Amino acid sequence: MQFVLSQIPADFLSTIIVVQHMPEGFTEMFAKRLDECCALEVQEARSGDLLLAGRVLICPGNRHIMVRRMPRGDMVVLSDGPPVNGHRPPRMFCFIPSRRNLRLQLSEF
């Protein structure tokens, strides 16, 4: 993750949302470490975070993350809903609502 994100310039035009299976409490430290070595702003996602250019949001451990179109702009919504296929967060749970709401074209590494 560090290698990939460190290759992206600070003037990147989108928000990157990272969803990984990590324990609670670890993702905040992970985001801080990545923020120190990347040109992009990296932080652990919080409900209400706006999707801004040049920002990386790390999904908190044991949370679901979705993106909603709101009057203020596109923003993150976190939830403690039940696991999907035994996982929270599951990658597909994140991408499907985002694609439907924002008509995003998504790709995977």
Side-chain angles (χ1 to χ4, degrees):
M1 182 66 53
Q2 179 178 334
F3 175 78
V4 171
L5 293 177
S6 68
Q7 304 304 305
I8 301 172
D11 61 353
F12 189 70
L13 298 178
S14 296
T15 297
I16 298 170
I17 297 175
V18 176
V19 179
Q20 284 190 247
H21 300 291
M22 294 183 179
E24 289 181 75
F26 180 78
T27 50
E28 183 178 8
M29 293 180 296
F30 182 62
K32 286 179 181 179
R33 186 173 62 81
L34 289 173
D35 188 56
E36 293 174 359
C37 64
C38 299
L40 301 169
E41 173 195 351
V42 182
Q43 66 184 45
E44 184 180 52
R46 296 179 311 264
S47 282
D49 281 342
L50 292 173
L51 274 59
L52 303 173
R55 177 184 268 186
V56 178
L57 298 173
I58 308 289
C59 179
N62 202 31
R63 303 290 307 270
H64 290 304
I65 187 169
M66 295 177 287
V67 176
R68 298 267 191 232
R69 180 152 286 166
M70 305 295 275
R72 288 182 40 218
D74 301 330
M75 67 176 50
V76 167
V77 177
L78 299 175
S79 92
D80 294 318
V84 176
N85 296 325
H87 299 285
R88 184 172 56 201
R91 180 176 57 213
M92 294 311 295
F93 185 73
C94 174
F95 287 164
I96 292 170
S98 297
R99 180 177 285 168
R100 182 177 60 241
N101 289 340
L102 303 176
R103 295 189 182 102
L104 296 176
Q105 186 172 6
L106 301 168
S107 62
E108 296 182 40
F109 288 96

